[in-house]
Amino acid sequence: MLLPPGKATAKRTLEEEEEVYYVMAGVGTIQIGKEKAAIKAGDAIAIRFGEELSFANESAADLELLAIGVAKSP
C-alpha cells in the first residue's frame, strides 16, 4: 500500500481477517481503536479481529506499507 504525503486511509474494522503491516519506507501514524502511534520504516504492526484501524501520512514523502492478511476461515 502506498500512501502519498498528506493523505490518510478511512477507518475500517477487521471482521474476516487479521493483518500484519510492515513499514517498507517513510514515516506516518497508525490509529488502532483510540490509540495512535508513530510508525517508521522497519516497524511491524499486528492487527487482530475486530480492531478498527487507519493510517495517516503527515510527512513530505510516501509511506509504503506491506500488508499480509490471514483469513478467519478458509
Side-chain angles (χ1 to χ4, degrees):
M1 177 170 77
L2 188 66
L3 194 57
K7 299 294 182 181
T9 63
K11 289 182 181 180
R12 65 186 185 94
T13 302
L14 298 184
E15 296 178 5
E16 298 298 323
E17 73 277 350
E18 290 187 327
E19 295 177 345
V20 175
Y21 289 89
Y22 180 75
V23 183
M24 303 286 290
V27 296
T29 57
I30 184 170
Q31 184 168 345
I32 303 171
K34 295 181 186 204
E35 293 186 41
K36 192 173 184 180
I39 56 173
K40 64 184 182 327
D43 288 349
I45 308 107
I47 313 295
R48 296 186 177 108
F49 297 119
E51 290 185 316
E52 180 184 69
L53 74 143
S54 64
F55 291 96
N57 181 356
E58 298 153 356
S59 73
D62 288 337
L63 175 60
E64 185 177 350
L65 302 158
L66 171 67
I68 302 165
V70 178
K72 188 185 247 185
S73 58

